[in-house]
Amino acid sequence: MRGTPGAARVLILCAAVCAVLGALPALSPGAATPWGTLGLLAALHLACELPGRCRVFGSSVPVSAGSFFPLLLAAAFLLPPSAAVLVAVPGALAGRVEQPPATARRLWRAAQLALTVGAASWAYALLGGPATLGGPSDGGVPRLPYALLPACATALVFSLVLAALDGGILVTAERVAVRHAWRGLPARSVGPHLVHALAGLMMAVLWRSSYGPLSALVVLLPMYISCWVFAQYHRRHAAHRATIRALVQAVDIKDGYTRGHSERVGRASELIARELGMEEDRMEALRFAGILHDVGKLGVPTRVLRKDGPLTPEERRVIELHPEYGHEIVRGIGFLDEARAAILHHHERLDGSGYPYGLSGDTIPEFARVVAVADAFDAMTSTRSYRRGRPVPAAVEELERCAGSQFDPRMVRALARALDRHGWSAAANTVTSDEEPAGLPGPRAGARPPATGSPDRRRGRHR
């Protein structure tokens, strides 16, 4: 527990005590605890978690410590609450922990899952769920569709209790603000937990049928493989996000003057894509394109990026190479797909006067036309040390004025509709320079001219 904040220690201790108290009825003399079912379920859960600690399998196992939820929900359906509390404990204590402190994390996970499964089992019993499962006496036929109602309600209780405890540990151990700790947790988890509940219900029905536990074990393997595939998908996406985050951080370190610009361009690109009705996979690729559109700055000399005042013609030619540098940097990253074309061509103009290749009209890739509008919009609405950001309506008006010559009118209209529908976050108008915004009486001596990529490019240097 060393290194764990005091408030988190108190929360972990309270959760552990509550879990022990919840299990006491099952351990008391004379309790009709189904030890055979309890032992087999606990052993199965432990078997699902142990591969995570094996060097051969390592991080390729489908779940982290104690999180094979279909089996835990099956335990909530099959066991009384005091017995269900115990099922997750061995697996959670023995499972893989990726970050220290390992002891505190294992103890918390065991207590958290014990309380969650116990609460779910209580809800299932109160709703009369066990009577709907069927059994050997009636041929193992569940009472459908009535069996689905308590199962879904149990999944909801499972999800809410787990989210409440997750938020609590974020506040006490990770020092997350209370107003942010629970944001989105239930909404993200209810759907998956309903699916887990249906799989757990199928396992429980088979377990109670005349075929017995062995038939339920046949279901377990494909469920586990499905979880493995799902986990690999999310692990791959996490790796994608980590790659993009590293590239953006590198750009921000080199050119802190526009820190935060990339993320906002990604958000604006996503708004346009959603308004255009793009599919989810293309929308995600377009968001990546917006975030990485300036990654080519890594190839531009720092003295040029940070220079105050106008660029010389030679320096301007150097900085106008950044789309090509960016394309070279990301060309080997397979998951970016269409995003690479946007990175290369986001400074082309519809009238053919852009760069690097002077493309015009529909020869400019669609993603590049979206990112060009998003880039210009954020450049105009962001406050810089030499000027305040324009109001959103003024920026949209300027985009509309330049539509048809610099920007694709369809993309400009899509952004305008999206802004009318969703607005623009206040974070989009923060200062993107390390300079203090206070006062801002006007352009300071030697200040950079307006960031371009926006229609302001005619008045100053390219950003």
Side-chain angles (χ1 to χ4, degrees), residues 417-430:
R417 290 195 304 269
L419 293 173
D420 287 341
R421 192 188 310 272
H422 304 290
W424 185 242
S425 134
N429 296 317
T430 57

Side-chain angles (χ1 to χ4, degrees), residues 193-268:
H193 289 156
L194 284 173
V195 176
H196 295 154
L198 294 177
L201 179 64
M202 179 173 60
M203 188 174 177
V205 168
L206 289 172
W207 194 291
R208 291 275 296 269
S209 73
S210 58
Y211 298 103
L214 185 61
S215 62
L217 298 183
V218 174
V219 176
L220 183 63
L221 182 59
M223 283 196 300
Y224 196 74
I225 293 174
S226 297
C227 284
W228 180 84
V229 172
F230 191 69
Q232 292 304 308
Y233 171 80
H234 278 277
R235 189 171 288 114
R236 186 165 58 251
H237 271 256
H240 294 172
R241 289 191 295 271
T243 300
I244 290 172
R245 187 164 55 248
L247 289 171
V248 171
Q249 286 174 346
V251 174
D252 285 346
I253 289 170
K254 185 162 187 174
D255 187 18
Y257 194 78
T258 53
R259 184 170 291 118
H261 170 68
S262 298
E263 290 83 353
R264 293 193 300 273
V265 173
R267 287 201 297 272

Side-chain angles (χ1 to χ4, degrees), residues 54-107:
C54 177
R55 292 184 179 182
V56 176
F57 298 103
S59 61
S60 66
V61 296
V63 287
S64 58
S67 56
F68 189 49
F69 293 146
L71 186 56
L72 297 182
L73 282 159
F77 298 149
L78 288 167
L79 296 171
S82 58
V85 166
L86 299 170
V87 171
V89 174
L93 292 176
R96 183 179 76 243
V97 175
E98 297 179 350
Q99 296 177 352
T103 301
R105 288 180 181 274
R106 287 197 176 97
L107 182 58

Side-chain angles (χ1 to χ4, degrees), residues 173 271 372 439:
L271 283 176

Side-chain angles (χ1 to χ4, degrees), residues 90-454:
L93 292 176
R96 183 179 76 243
V97 175
E98 297 179 350
Q99 296 177 352
T103 301
R105 288 180 181 274
R106 287 197 176 97
L107 182 58
W108 165 251
R109 193 61 171 162
Q112 179 191 34
L113 289 177
L115 291 176
T116 302
V117 177
S121 183
W122 270 110
Y124 192 67
L126 288 173
L127 293 170
T132 68
L133 288 180
S137 60
D138 53 11
V141 179
R143 293 170 54 191
L144 294 174
Y146 305 106
L148 296 175
L149 298 178
C152 291
T154 299
L156 181 60
V157 171
F158 185 96
S159 183
L160 293 176
V161 173
L162 192 64
L165 293 171
D166 276 336
I169 202 67
L170 286 175
V171 171
T172 56
E174 305 293 340
R175 309 296 173 86
V176 176
V178 173
R179 66 181 182 276
H180 297 310
W182 288 275
R183 182 178 296 174
L185 280 178
R188 289 196 302 268
S189 59
V190 167
H193 289 156
L194 284 173
V195 176
H196 295 154
L198 294 177
L201 179 64
M202 179 173 60
M203 188 174 177
V205 168
L206 289 172
W207 194 291
R208 291 275 296 269
S209 73
S210 58
Y211 298 103
L214 185 61
S215 62
L217 298 183
V218 174
V219 176
L220 183 63
L221 182 59
M223 283 196 300
Y224 196 74
I225 293 174
S226 297
C227 284
W228 180 84
V229 172
F230 191 69
Q232 292 304 308
Y233 171 80
H234 278 277
R235 189 171 288 114
R236 186 165 58 251
H237 271 256
H240 294 172
R241 289 191 295 271
T243 300
I244 290 172
R245 187 164 55 248
L247 289 171
V248 171
Q249 286 174 346
V251 174
D252 285 346
I253 289 170
K254 185 162 187 174
D255 187 18
Y257 194 78
T258 53
R259 184 170 291 118
H261 170 68
S262 298
E263 290 83 353
R264 293 193 300 273
V265 173
R267 287 201 297 272
S269 298
E270 187 175 18
L271 283 176
I272 296 172
R274 196 175 299 279
E275 197 65 33
L276 293 174
M278 289 188 183
E279 297 177 355
E280 286 293 330
D281 56 344
R282 292 194 75 216
M283 192 154 43
E284 182 179 50
L286 185 50
R287 182 171 62 87
F288 289 161
I291 292 172
L292 293 175
H293 73 287
D294 275 343
V295 71
K297 287 181 179 179
L298 294 174
V300 177
T302 305
R303 62 176 178 79
V304 177
L305 286 175
R306 297 186 178 182
K307 179 182 178 182
D308 282 333
L311 297 174
T312 66
E314 293 77 14
E315 289 169 335
R316 189 174 184 86
R317 282 193 291 271
V318 168
I319 205 169
E320 286 182 356
L321 290 172
H322 83 273
E324 294 177 275
Y325 292 151
H327 185 260
E328 287 301 312
I329 289 171
V330 304
R331 71 182 305 170
I333 304 178
F335 70 86
L336 289 177
D337 197 25
E338 281 187 270
R340 292 192 291 271
I343 293 168
L344 179 60
H345 295 295
H346 70 278
H347 281 297
E348 306 283 4
R349 294 170 56 112
L350 243 63
D351 60 10
S353 64
Y355 63 90
Y357 299 131
L359 301 183
S360 63
D362 289 341
T363 61
I364 303 172
E366 183 181 32
F367 273 24
R369 285 177 273 145
V370 171
V371 172
V373 172
D375 184 20
F377 173 75
D378 182 68
M380 288 188 286
T381 55
S382 297
T383 294
R384 303 291 170 84
S385 58
Y386 52 81
R387 60 148 172 83
R388 293 189 182 276
R390 299 187 188 188
V392 169
V396 172
E397 183 180 347
E398 183 70 3
L399 289 173
E400 290 172 343
R401 190 184 68 79
C402 296
S405 58
Q406 184 172 350
F407 305 115
D408 186 331
R410 188 166 69 101
M411 308 311 173
V412 174
R413 289 194 298 269
L415 177 62
R417 290 195 304 269
L419 293 173
D420 287 341
R421 192 188 310 272
H422 304 290
W424 185 242
S425 134
N429 296 317
T430 57
V431 173
T432 55
S433 165
D434 292 333
E435 302 287 338
E436 289 294 331
L440 287 184
R444 61 181 173 84
R448 292 177 170 190
T452 61
S454 77

